[in-house]
Amino acid sequence: MKILIVEDEQKTGDYLKQGLTEFGFSVDLARNGLDGLHLAKSGEYDLLILDVMLPELNGWQVLEALRRQGLQTPVLFLTAKDQVEDRVKGLELGADDYLVKPFAFSELVARVRTLLRRGKNQIESTSLRVADLELDLLKHRVTRNGQRIELTAKEFSLLELFMRRQGEVLTRSLIASQVWDMNFDSDTNVIEVAMRRLRSKIDDHFEPKLIHTLRGMGYVLEVKEV
């Protein structure tokens, strides 16, 4: 398993690289956000360990650039900021987990192993399923209750995002950046229109309803308990 660490504090970076290497991982180390982004774009890493406060580009900018290019490599954020807003920002941009400094190395190793297992399972899976809704990633096909559902390319990407993040509330700004690669403009209703069309295709003629609107927050795809 190959890991990229992006950490500008020399002592911390060297410590992490040596420790993870001793645990049997293949580890590369970048000292700034620009070098980290360049290495991460190669797509040859199974996990990125990314500090938030970095020179050149900060960790959030690195992650945002990777996700915009469609790279879904798992990301573990390291941050000295134990504030809810910072953690939420990282998760909304597509981070998979975070650790607040200082942390125990044993906890880091446990988080790394969990993310690597999760990433391996996602790579091996060629389809996503929620209730009787199934999305085939290889055939680019969607069915519900065995019935074929025709989706546009954007609708397919939108549904894939929701199914990969089942149970998570996705904000309009997150949907805009992940599916349309744009910043959310409150004056546009493109998200609402797209969600209505998607809902009409996968929910209107089926039970249970899977897409739910949380007013003032966003949307969530989940099976509601009766």
Side-chain angles (χ1 to χ4, degrees):
M1 288 294 189
K2 195 167 185 179
I3 298 173
L4 173 63
I5 299 169
V6 189
E7 170 62 71
D8 63 315
E9 294 179 10
Q10 184 171 349
K11 188 176 179 181
T12 302
D14 292 344
Y15 170 72
L16 293 176
K17 181 176 182 179
Q18 180 181 344
L20 290 171
T21 300
E22 289 174 355
F23 269 86
F25 299 108
S26 174
V27 183
D28 287 338
L29 174 62
R31 302 288 188 183
N32 62 65
L34 211 53
D35 290 344
L37 178 60
H38 178 72
L39 288 170
K41 280 182 177 178
S42 69
E44 57 185 53
Y45 296 98
D46 300 294
L47 175 68
L48 306 182
I49 299 178
L50 195 57
D51 190 28
V52 173
M53 305 304 292
L54 293 167
E56 306 291 345
L57 294 174
N58 65 41
W60 290 321
Q61 292 171 313
V62 172
L63 175 60
E64 191 170 18
L66 291 173
R67 295 299 187 245
R68 280 182 175 175
Q69 292 196 8
L71 286 171
Q72 299 301 318
T73 308
V75 171
L76 170 63
F77 260 133
L78 303 180
T79 176
K81 298 181 177 182
D82 190 15
Q83 295 180 359
V84 173
E85 293 83 1
D86 292 308
R87 299 200 300 268
V88 169
K89 181 175 181 177
L91 293 171
E92 283 200 337
L93 288 173
D96 298 272
D97 204 353
Y98 65 90
L99 266 179
V100 178
K101 298 176 179 178
F103 50 82
F105 188 76
S106 58
E107 183 179 6
L108 173 71
V109 172
R111 300 281 186 100
V112 164
R113 284 175 169 163
T114 297
L115 289 173
L116 287 172
R117 281 198 301 271
R118 189 187 303 170
K120 185 171 183 288
N121 290 338
Q122 287 180 350
I123 291 171
E124 289 175 349
S125 176
T126 59
S127 65
L128 303 171
R129 188 177 183 91
V130 178
D132 58 352
L133 175 66
E134 187 167 1
L135 183 147
D136 189 314
L137 295 165
L138 293 182
K139 296 179 180 178
H140 220 70
R141 177 183 298 171
V142 175
T143 58
R144 181 149 192 202
N145 193 28
Q147 297 180 39
R148 178 81 176 266
I149 298 173
E150 297 295 337
L151 298 181
T152 65
K154 282 292 184 206
E155 289 166 348
F156 188 92
S157 297
L158 185 59
L159 182 59
E160 180 183 354
L161 174 66
F162 273 94
M163 292 183 74
R164 286 192 182 279
R165 303 179 72 160
Q166 177 189 353
E168 291 184 40
V169 178
L170 304 186
T171 64
R172 288 166 177 78
S173 58
L174 175 67
I175 295 169
S177 66
Q178 294 288 314
V179 179
W180 277 269
D181 193 21
M182 69 177 190
N183 293 322
F184 177 66
D185 182 351
S186 58
D187 293 331
T188 181
N189 66 344
V190 63
I191 307 298
E192 287 78 3
V193 170
M195 291 304 300
R196 279 200 300 270
R197 287 177 176 168
L198 182 62
R199 183 179 271 149
S200 71
K201 292 182 178 183
I202 73 164
D203 265 351
D204 279 5
H205 305 292
F206 303 95
E207 293 292 342
K209 305 305 180 191
L210 298 177
I211 296 177
H212 309 279
T213 304
L214 279 69
R215 197 168 299 277
M217 297 176 66
Y219 303 91
V220 61
L221 186 145
E222 64 181 352
V223 180
K224 293 276 190 180
E225 297 291 337
V226 180

